[in-house]
Structures are given as structure tokens and as C-alpha cells.
PDB file of all heavy atoms in Angstrom:
ATOM      1  N   VAL Z   1      -2.506  12.737 -13.291  1.00 78.00           N
ATOM      2  CA  VAL Z   1      -3.225  13.359 -12.077  1.00 78.00           C
ATOM      3  C   VAL Z   1      -3.617  12.326 -11.114  1.00 78.00           C
ATOM      4  O   VAL Z   1      -3.403  12.337  -9.911  1.00 78.00           O
ATOM      5  CB  VAL Z   1      -4.374  14.148 -12.606  1.00 78.00           C
ATOM      6  CG1 VAL Z   1      -5.244  14.627 -11.349  1.00 78.00           C
ATOM      7  CG2 VAL Z   1      -3.912  15.437 -13.383  1.00 78.00           C
ATOM      8  N   PHE Z   2      -4.269  11.290 -11.638  1.00 79.00           N
ATOM      9  CA  PHE Z   2      -4.816  10.143 -10.786  1.00 79.00           C
ATOM     10  C   PHE Z   2      -3.621   9.404 -10.110  1.00 79.00           C
ATOM     11  O   PHE Z   2      -3.612   9.105  -8.948  1.00 79.00           O
ATOM     12  CB  PHE Z   2      -5.652   9.152 -11.596  1.00 79.00           C
ATOM     13  CG  PHE Z   2      -7.102   9.574 -11.664  1.00 79.00           C
ATOM     14  CD1 PHE Z   2      -7.547  10.201 -12.772  1.00 79.00           C
ATOM     15  CD2 PHE Z   2      -7.955   9.311 -10.742  1.00 79.00           C
ATOM     16  CE1 PHE Z   2      -8.829  10.609 -12.914  1.00 79.00           C
ATOM     17  CE2 PHE Z   2      -9.282   9.717 -10.775  1.00 79.00           C
ATOM     18  CZ  PHE Z   2      -9.658  10.356 -11.936  1.00 79.00           C
ATOM     19  N   GLU Z   3      -2.582   9.195 -10.916  1.00 81.00           N
ATOM     20  CA  GLU Z   3      -1.453   8.347 -10.328  1.00 81.00           C
ATOM     21  C   GLU Z   3      -0.772   9.211  -9.354  1.00 81.00           C
ATOM     22  O   GLU Z   3       0.020   8.719  -8.382  1.00 81.00           O
ATOM     23  CB  GLU Z   3      -0.574   7.915 -11.443  1.00 81.00           C
ATOM     24  CG  GLU Z   3      -1.236   6.761 -12.244  1.00 81.00           C
ATOM     25  CD  GLU Z   3      -0.500   6.254 -13.401  1.00 81.00           C
ATOM     26  OE1 GLU Z   3       0.577   6.754 -13.699  1.00 81.00           O
ATOM     27  OE2 GLU Z   3      -1.137   5.438 -14.189  1.00 81.00           O
ATOM     28  N   THR Z   4      -0.701  10.513  -9.447  1.00 83.00           N
ATOM     29  CA  THR Z   4      -0.066  11.382  -8.507  1.00 83.00           C
ATOM     30  C   THR Z   4      -0.826  11.421  -7.075  1.00 83.00           C
ATOM     31  O   THR Z   4      -0.238  11.420  -6.016  1.00 83.00           O
ATOM     32  CB  THR Z   4       0.114  12.868  -9.057  1.00 83.00           C
ATOM     33  OG1 THR Z   4       0.933  12.822 -10.271  1.00 83.00           O
ATOM     34  CG2 THR Z   4       0.750  13.723  -8.057  1.00 83.00           C
ATOM     35  N   MET Z   5      -2.155  11.547  -7.323  1.00 83.00           N
ATOM     36  CA  MET Z   5      -2.933  11.627  -6.086  1.00 83.00           C
ATOM     37  C   MET Z   5      -3.055  10.171  -5.434  1.00 83.00           C
ATOM     38  O   MET Z   5      -3.208  10.146  -4.292  1.00 83.00           O
ATOM     39  CB  MET Z   5      -4.391  12.023  -6.489  1.00 83.00           C
ATOM     40  CG  MET Z   5      -4.491  13.438  -6.914  1.00 83.00           C
ATOM     41  SD  MET Z   5      -6.087  14.031  -7.343  1.00 83.00           S
ATOM     42  CE  MET Z   5      -7.051  12.637  -7.740  1.00 83.00           C
ATOM     43  N   GLU Z   6      -2.888   9.145  -6.157  1.00 88.00           N
ATOM     44  CA  GLU Z   6      -3.034   7.699  -5.744  1.00 88.00           C
ATOM     45  C   GLU Z   6      -1.734   7.024  -6.044  1.00 88.00           C
ATOM     46  O   GLU Z   6      -1.658   6.391  -7.166  1.00 88.00           O
ATOM     47  CB  GLU Z   6      -4.321   7.066  -6.312  1.00 88.00           C
ATOM     48  CG  GLU Z   6      -5.595   7.787  -6.064  1.00 88.00           C
ATOM     49  CD  GLU Z   6      -6.124   7.585  -4.737  1.00 88.00           C
ATOM     50  OE1 GLU Z   6      -5.408   6.958  -3.900  1.00 88.00           O
ATOM     51  OE2 GLU Z   6      -7.272   8.045  -4.406  1.00 88.00           O
ATOM     52  N   PRO Z   7      -0.788   7.036  -5.206  1.00 90.00           N
ATOM     53  CA  PRO Z   7       0.525   6.438  -5.645  1.00 90.00           C
ATOM     54  C   PRO Z   7       0.583   4.975  -5.996  1.00 90.00           C
ATOM     55  O   PRO Z   7       1.426   4.548  -6.774  1.00 90.00           O
ATOM     56  CB  PRO Z   7       1.503   6.757  -4.513  1.00 90.00           C
ATOM     57  CG  PRO Z   7       0.691   7.207  -3.348  1.00 90.00           C
ATOM     58  CD  PRO Z   7      -0.665   7.601  -3.996  1.00 90.00           C
ATOM     59  N   PHE Z   8      -0.358   4.145  -5.609  1.00 93.00           N
ATOM     60  CA  PHE Z   8      -0.336   2.737  -5.893  1.00 93.00           C
ATOM     61  C   PHE Z   8      -1.420   2.416  -7.017  1.00 93.00           C
ATOM     62  O   PHE Z   8      -1.653   1.218  -7.254  1.00 93.00           O
ATOM     63  CB  PHE Z   8      -0.613   1.948  -4.632  1.00 93.00           C
ATOM     64  CG  PHE Z   8       0.332   2.173  -3.505  1.00 93.00           C
ATOM     65  CD1 PHE Z   8      -0.082   2.904  -2.370  1.00 93.00           C
ATOM     66  CD2 PHE Z   8       1.646   1.801  -3.701  1.00 93.00           C
ATOM     67  CE1 PHE Z   8       0.911   3.077  -1.393  1.00 93.00           C
ATOM     68  CE2 PHE Z   8       2.559   2.101  -2.775  1.00 93.00           C
ATOM     69  CZ  PHE Z   8       2.165   2.793  -1.537  1.00 93.00           C
ATOM     70  N   LEU Z   9      -2.031   3.368  -7.559  1.00 87.00           N
ATOM     71  CA  LEU Z   9      -3.196   3.221  -8.443  1.00 87.00           C
ATOM     72  C   LEU Z   9      -2.627   2.609  -9.775  1.00 87.00           C
ATOM     73  O   LEU Z   9      -3.210   1.659 -10.249  1.00 87.00           O
ATOM     74  CB  LEU Z   9      -3.878   4.418  -8.826  1.00 87.00           C
ATOM     75  CG  LEU Z   9      -5.070   4.318  -9.764  1.00 87.00           C
ATOM     76  CD1 LEU Z   9      -6.030   3.383  -9.352  1.00 87.00           C
ATOM     77  CD2 LEU Z   9      -5.700   5.746  -9.918  1.00 87.00           C
ATOM     78  N   ALA Z  10      -1.444   2.927 -10.262  1.00 88.00           N
ATOM     79  CA  ALA Z  10      -0.950   2.489 -11.519  1.00 88.00           C
ATOM     80  C   ALA Z  10      -0.741   0.895 -11.443  1.00 88.00           C
ATOM     81  O   ALA Z  10      -1.178   0.210 -12.320  1.00 88.00           O
ATOM     82  CB  ALA Z  10       0.408   3.150 -11.884  1.00 88.00           C
ATOM     83  N   ASP Z  11      -0.166   0.477 -10.344  1.00 91.00           N
ATOM     84  CA  ASP Z  11       0.002  -0.959 -10.072  1.00 91.00           C
ATOM     85  C   ASP Z  11      -1.393  -1.783 -10.021  1.00 91.00           C
ATOM     86  O   ASP Z  11      -1.606  -2.699 -10.591  1.00 91.00           O
ATOM     87  CB  ASP Z  11       0.835  -1.128  -8.866  1.00 91.00           C
ATOM     88  CG  ASP Z  11       0.958  -2.688  -8.556  1.00 91.00           C
ATOM     89  OD1 ASP Z  11       1.573  -3.438  -9.347  1.00 91.00           O
ATOM     90  OD2 ASP Z  11       0.404  -3.141  -7.541  1.00 91.00           O
ATOM     91  N   PHE Z  12      -2.314  -1.018  -9.392  1.00 92.00           N
ATOM     92  CA  PHE Z  12      -3.559  -1.587  -9.148  1.00 92.00           C
ATOM     93  C   PHE Z  12      -4.306  -1.677 -10.488  1.00 92.00           C
ATOM     94  O   PHE Z  12      -4.906  -2.803 -10.786  1.00 92.00           O
ATOM     95  CB  PHE Z  12      -4.424  -0.764  -8.166  1.00 92.00           C
ATOM     96  CG  PHE Z  12      -5.836  -1.482  -7.880  1.00 92.00           C
ATOM     97  CD1 PHE Z  12      -5.819  -2.681  -7.162  1.00 92.00           C
ATOM     98  CD2 PHE Z  12      -6.882  -0.918  -8.409  1.00 92.00           C
ATOM     99  CE1 PHE Z  12      -7.183  -3.225  -7.009  1.00 92.00           C
ATOM    100  CE2 PHE Z  12      -8.214  -1.442  -8.168  1.00 92.00           C
ATOM    101  CZ  PHE Z  12      -8.321  -2.578  -7.556  1.00 92.00           C
ATOM    102  N   TRP Z  13      -4.178  -0.718 -11.393  1.00 89.00           N
ATOM    103  CA  TRP Z  13      -4.933  -0.664 -12.637  1.00 89.00           C
ATOM    104  C   TRP Z  13      -4.273  -1.861 -13.485  1.00 89.00           C
ATOM    105  O   TRP Z  13      -5.079  -2.485 -14.319  1.00 89.00           O
ATOM    106  CB  TRP Z  13      -4.617   0.633 -13.446  1.00 89.00           C
ATOM    107  CG  TRP Z  13      -5.592   1.564 -13.207  1.00 89.00           C
ATOM    108  CD1 TRP Z  13      -7.009   1.586 -12.976  1.00 89.00           C
ATOM    109  CD2 TRP Z  13      -5.450   3.098 -13.428  1.00 89.00           C
ATOM    110  NE1 TRP Z  13      -7.563   2.798 -12.818  1.00 89.00           N
ATOM    111  CE2 TRP Z  13      -6.703   3.720 -13.196  1.00 89.00           C
ATOM    112  CE3 TRP Z  13      -4.330   3.926 -13.824  1.00 89.00           C
ATOM    113  CZ2 TRP Z  13      -6.925   5.073 -13.300  1.00 89.00           C
ATOM    114  CZ3 TRP Z  13      -4.626   5.261 -13.943  1.00 89.00           C
ATOM    115  CH2 TRP Z  13      -5.793   5.803 -13.612  1.00 89.00           C
ATOM    116  N   GLU Z  14      -3.019  -2.173 -13.338  1.00 90.00           N
ATOM    117  CA  GLU Z  14      -2.401  -3.175 -14.222  1.00 90.00           C
ATOM    118  C   GLU Z  14      -2.575  -4.656 -13.588  1.00 90.00           C
ATOM    119  O   GLU Z  14      -2.250  -5.586 -14.212  1.00 90.00           O
ATOM    120  CB  GLU Z  14      -1.005  -2.881 -14.448  1.00 90.00           C
ATOM    121  CG  GLU Z  14      -0.749  -1.588 -15.107  1.00 90.00           C
ATOM    122  CD  GLU Z  14      -1.326  -1.636 -16.619  1.00 90.00           C
ATOM    123  OE1 GLU Z  14      -1.421  -2.664 -17.251  1.00 90.00           O
ATOM    124  OE2 GLU Z  14      -1.660  -0.500 -17.121  1.00 90.00           O
ATOM    125  N   SER Z  15      -3.029  -4.659 -12.332  1.00 94.00           N
ATOM    126  CA  SER Z  15      -3.071  -6.036 -11.716  1.00 94.00           C
ATOM    127  C   SER Z  15      -4.294  -6.794 -12.181  1.00 94.00           C
ATOM    128  O   SER Z  15      -5.244  -6.276 -12.708  1.00 94.00           O
ATOM    129  CB  SER Z  15      -3.197  -5.822 -10.191  1.00 94.00           C
ATOM    130  OG  SER Z  15      -4.538  -5.219  -9.822  1.00 94.00           O
ATOM    131  N   ASP Z  16      -4.054  -8.135 -11.953  1.00 96.00           N
ATOM    132  CA  ASP Z  16      -5.260  -9.062 -12.349  1.00 96.00           C
ATOM    133  C   ASP Z  16      -5.738  -9.491 -10.985  1.00 96.00           C
ATOM    134  O   ASP Z  16      -5.247 -10.305 -10.345  1.00 96.00           O
ATOM    135  CB  ASP Z  16      -4.699 -10.282 -13.002  1.00 96.00           C
ATOM    136  CG  ASP Z  16      -5.781 -11.128 -13.373  1.00 96.00           C
ATOM    137  OD1 ASP Z  16      -6.838 -11.248 -12.917  1.00 96.00           O
ATOM    138  OD2 ASP Z  16      -5.554 -12.083 -14.376  1.00 96.00           O
ATOM    139  N   LEU Z  17      -6.755  -8.715 -10.500  1.00 96.00           N
ATOM    140  CA  LEU Z  17      -7.372  -8.898  -9.165  1.00 96.00           C
ATOM    141  C   LEU Z  17      -7.900 -10.305  -8.999  1.00 96.00           C
ATOM    142  O   LEU Z  17      -7.728 -10.945  -7.988  1.00 96.00           O
ATOM    143  CB  LEU Z  17      -8.430  -7.834  -8.907  1.00 96.00           C
ATOM    144  CG  LEU Z  17      -8.920  -7.721  -7.500  1.00 96.00           C
ATOM    145  CD1 LEU Z  17      -7.795  -7.562  -6.489  1.00 96.00           C
ATOM    146  CD2 LEU Z  17      -9.873  -6.570  -7.415  1.00 96.00           C
ATOM    147  N   LEU Z  18      -8.556 -10.886 -10.005  1.00 96.00           N
ATOM    148  CA  LEU Z  18      -9.109 -12.228  -9.792  1.00 96.00           C
ATOM    149  C   LEU Z  18      -7.889 -13.240  -9.674  1.00 96.00           C
ATOM    150  O   LEU Z  18      -8.132 -14.135  -8.857  1.00 96.00           O
ATOM    151  CB  LEU Z  18      -9.962 -12.594 -11.042  1.00 96.00           C
ATOM    152  CG  LEU Z  18     -11.209 -11.752 -11.205  1.00 96.00           C
ATOM    153  CD1 LEU Z  18     -11.999 -12.138 -12.461  1.00 96.00           C
ATOM    154  CD2 LEU Z  18     -12.087 -11.899  -9.987  1.00 96.00           C
ATOM    155  N   ALA Z  19      -6.850 -13.002 -10.399  1.00 97.00           N
ATOM    156  CA  ALA Z  19      -5.704 -13.971 -10.213  1.00 97.00           C
ATOM    157  C   ALA Z  19      -5.166 -13.904  -8.766  1.00 97.00           C
ATOM    158  O   ALA Z  19      -4.806 -14.879  -8.170  1.00 97.00           O
ATOM    159  CB  ALA Z  19      -4.663 -13.702 -11.277  1.00 97.00           C
ATOM    160  N   GLU Z  20      -5.003 -12.596  -8.301  1.00 97.00           N
ATOM    161  CA  GLU Z  20      -4.482 -12.326  -6.973  1.00 97.00           C
ATOM    162  C   GLU Z  20      -5.471 -13.033  -5.966  1.00 97.00           C
ATOM    163  O   GLU Z  20      -4.986 -13.641  -4.950  1.00 97.00           O
ATOM    164  CB  GLU Z  20      -4.474 -10.938  -6.672  1.00 97.00           C
ATOM    165  CG  GLU Z  20      -3.345 -10.174  -7.430  1.00 97.00           C
ATOM    166  CD  GLU Z  20      -3.267  -8.729  -7.089  1.00 97.00           C
ATOM    167  OE1 GLU Z  20      -3.758  -8.326  -6.072  1.00 97.00           O
ATOM    168  OE2 GLU Z  20      -2.708  -7.886  -7.976  1.00 97.00           O
ATOM    169  N   LEU Z  21      -6.826 -12.805  -6.093  1.00 97.00           N
ATOM    170  CA  LEU Z  21      -7.736 -13.574  -5.231  1.00 97.00           C
ATOM    171  C   LEU Z  21      -7.554 -15.009  -5.249  1.00 97.00           C
ATOM    172  O   LEU Z  21      -7.598 -15.665  -4.093  1.00 97.00           O
ATOM    173  CB  LEU Z  21      -9.209 -13.108  -5.600  1.00 97.00           C
ATOM    174  CG  LEU Z  21      -9.669 -11.764  -5.037  1.00 97.00           C
ATOM    175  CD1 LEU Z  21     -10.804 -11.370  -5.870  1.00 97.00           C
ATOM    176  CD2 LEU Z  21      -9.898 -11.875  -3.557  1.00 97.00           C
ATOM    177  N   ASN Z  22      -7.435 -15.670  -6.428  1.00 97.00           N
ATOM    178  CA  ASN Z  22      -7.274 -16.999  -6.530  1.00 97.00           C
ATOM    179  C   ASN Z  22      -5.985 -17.640  -5.800  1.00 97.00           C
ATOM    180  O   ASN Z  22      -6.004 -18.650  -5.200  1.00 97.00           O
ATOM    181  CB  ASN Z  22      -7.320 -17.536  -7.892  1.00 97.00           C
ATOM    182  CG  ASN Z  22      -8.772 -17.616  -8.504  1.00 97.00           C
ATOM    183  OD1 ASN Z  22      -9.622 -18.106  -7.837  1.00 97.00           O
ATOM    184  ND2 ASN Z  22      -9.026 -16.956  -9.593  1.00 97.00           N
ATOM    185  N   ILE Z  23      -4.958 -16.759  -5.970  1.00 97.00           N
ATOM    186  CA  ILE Z  23      -3.692 -17.296  -5.219  1.00 97.00           C
ATOM    187  C   ILE Z  23      -3.933 -17.223  -3.688  1.00 97.00           C
ATOM    188  O   ILE Z  23      -3.608 -18.136  -3.014  1.00 97.00           O
ATOM    189  CB  ILE Z  23      -2.546 -16.241  -5.533  1.00 97.00           C
ATOM    190  CG1 ILE Z  23      -2.052 -16.396  -7.032  1.00 97.00           C
ATOM    191  CG2 ILE Z  23      -1.439 -16.415  -4.605  1.00 97.00           C
ATOM    192  CD1 ILE Z  23      -1.226 -15.329  -7.496  1.00 97.00           C
ATOM    193  N   GLN Z  24      -4.572 -16.267  -3.156  1.00 98.00           N
ATOM    194  CA  GLN Z  24      -4.792 -16.161  -1.758  1.00 98.00           C
ATOM    195  C   GLN Z  24      -5.762 -17.235  -1.278  1.00 98.00           C
ATOM    196  O   GLN Z  24      -5.613 -17.790  -0.255  1.00 98.00           O
ATOM    197  CB  GLN Z  24      -5.275 -14.759  -1.347  1.00 98.00           C
ATOM    198  CG  GLN Z  24      -4.183 -13.674  -1.598  1.00 98.00           C
ATOM    199  CD  GLN Z  24      -2.929 -13.917  -0.904  1.00 98.00           C
ATOM    200  OE1 GLN Z  24      -2.867 -14.445   0.238  1.00 98.00           O
ATOM    201  NE2 GLN Z  24      -1.887 -13.718  -1.588  1.00 98.00           N
ATOM    202  N   ALA Z  25      -6.786 -17.532  -2.075  1.00 98.00           N
ATOM    203  CA  ALA Z  25      -7.781 -18.590  -1.820  1.00 98.00           C
ATOM    204  C   ALA Z  25      -7.045 -19.934  -1.811  1.00 98.00           C
ATOM    205  O   ALA Z  25      -7.297 -20.726  -0.898  1.00 98.00           O
ATOM    206  CB  ALA Z  25      -9.003 -18.571  -2.832  1.00 98.00           C
ATOM    207  N   ASN Z  26      -6.278 -20.162  -2.795  1.00 98.00           N
ATOM    208  CA  ASN Z  26      -5.597 -21.504  -2.825  1.00 98.00           C
ATOM    209  C   ASN Z  26      -4.659 -21.651  -1.696  1.00 98.00           C
ATOM    210  O   ASN Z  26      -4.594 -22.844  -1.177  1.00 98.00           O
ATOM    211  CB  ASN Z  26      -4.757 -21.560  -4.166  1.00 98.00           C
ATOM    212  CG  ASN Z  26      -5.576 -21.804  -5.424  1.00 98.00           C
ATOM    213  OD1 ASN Z  26      -6.715 -22.291  -5.313  1.00 98.00           O
ATOM    214  ND2 ASN Z  26      -5.104 -21.366  -6.493  1.00 98.00           N
ATOM    215  N   LEU Z  27      -4.036 -20.640  -1.173  1.00 97.00           N
ATOM    216  CA  LEU Z  27      -3.226 -20.739  -0.024  1.00 97.00           C
ATOM    217  C   LEU Z  27      -3.981 -21.151   1.267  1.00 97.00           C
ATOM    218  O   LEU Z  27      -3.408 -21.679   2.191  1.00 97.00           O
ATOM    219  CB  LEU Z  27      -2.485 -19.375   0.276  1.00 97.00           C
ATOM    220  CG  LEU Z  27      -1.413 -19.039  -0.653  1.00 97.00           C
ATOM    221  CD1 LEU Z  27      -0.869 -17.563  -0.449  1.00 97.00           C
ATOM    222  CD2 LEU Z  27      -0.278 -20.147  -0.664  1.00 97.00           C
ATOM    223  N   GLN Z  28      -5.319 -20.905   1.270  1.00 97.00           N
ATOM    224  CA  GLN Z  28      -6.274 -21.132   2.324  1.00 97.00           C
ATOM    225  C   GLN Z  28      -6.945 -22.479   2.069  1.00 97.00           C
ATOM    226  O   GLN Z  28      -7.939 -22.823   2.778  1.00 97.00           O
ATOM    227  CB  GLN Z  28      -7.213 -20.119   2.643  1.00 97.00           C
ATOM    228  CG  GLN Z  28      -6.433 -18.876   3.084  1.00 97.00           C
ATOM    229  CD  GLN Z  28      -7.371 -17.701   3.464  1.00 97.00           C
ATOM    230  OE1 GLN Z  28      -8.470 -17.898   3.796  1.00 97.00           O
ATOM    231  NE2 GLN Z  28      -6.942 -16.554   3.345  1.00 97.00           N
ATOM    232  N   GLY Z  29      -6.718 -23.187   0.861  1.00 97.00           N
ATOM    233  CA  GLY Z  29      -7.453 -24.294   0.443  1.00 97.00           C
ATOM    234  C   GLY Z  29      -8.922 -24.094   0.137  1.00 97.00           C
ATOM    235  O   GLY Z  29      -9.871 -24.820   0.284  1.00 97.00           O
ATOM    236  N   ARG Z  30      -9.058 -22.804  -0.416  1.00 97.00           N
ATOM    237  CA  ARG Z  30     -10.502 -22.448  -0.801  1.00 97.00           C
ATOM    238  C   ARG Z  30     -10.517 -21.987  -2.335  1.00 97.00           C
ATOM    239  O   ARG Z  30      -9.367 -21.908  -2.946  1.00 97.00           O
ATOM    240  CB  ARG Z  30     -10.823 -21.265   0.136  1.00 97.00           C
ATOM    241  CG  ARG Z  30     -10.752 -21.625   1.531  1.00 97.00           C
ATOM    242  CD  ARG Z  30     -11.199 -20.436   2.427  1.00 97.00           C
ATOM    243  NE  ARG Z  30     -12.574 -20.431   2.561  1.00 97.00           N
ATOM    244  CZ  ARG Z  30     -13.238 -19.420   3.185  1.00 97.00           C
ATOM    245  NH1 ARG Z  30     -12.584 -18.390   3.716  1.00 97.00           N
ATOM    246  NH2 ARG Z  30     -14.536 -19.463   3.186  1.00 97.00           N
ATOM    247  N   THR Z  31     -11.692 -21.746  -2.730  1.00 97.00           N
ATOM    248  CA  THR Z  31     -11.863 -21.221  -4.134  1.00 97.00           C
ATOM    249  C   THR Z  31     -12.703 -20.002  -4.084  1.00 97.00           C
ATOM    250  O   THR Z  31     -13.484 -19.710  -3.181  1.00 97.00           O
ATOM    251  CB  THR Z  31     -12.500 -22.257  -5.007  1.00 97.00           C
ATOM    252  OG1 THR Z  31     -13.732 -22.583  -4.538  1.00 97.00           O
ATOM    253  CG2 THR Z  31     -11.649 -23.537  -5.174  1.00 97.00           C
TER     254      THR Z  31
END
């Protein structure tokens, strides 16, 4: 039900948000 209503939710649930943030911060020379 949730994944039907929110088509990108399954990917988001499985993502490592802190790792994604660190990648983007590193690209900007930040932490």
C-alpha cells in the first residue's frame, strides 16, 4: 500500500541517507 502510494519510497527505505549526505558534502569539501 505504501509503496503504491509513494513510488520512490521502497528505494528511500533501503537507502543509507547518512552515506548519501556524506557523499554530497565531500563533493563540496564539507563534512
Side-chain angles (χ1 to χ4, degrees):
V1 168
F2 275 97
E3 291 172 5
T4 300
M5 293 183 335
E6 304 282 5
F8 303 110
L9 182 56
D11 177 68
F12 183 72
W13 267 337
E14 297 297 330
S15 70
D16 183 342
L17 191 54
L18 295 177
E20 290 181 24
L21 279 162
N22 280 310
I23 289 168
Q24 296 306 318
N26 287 335
L27 291 172
Q28 296 180 32
R30 304 178 82 187
T31 60

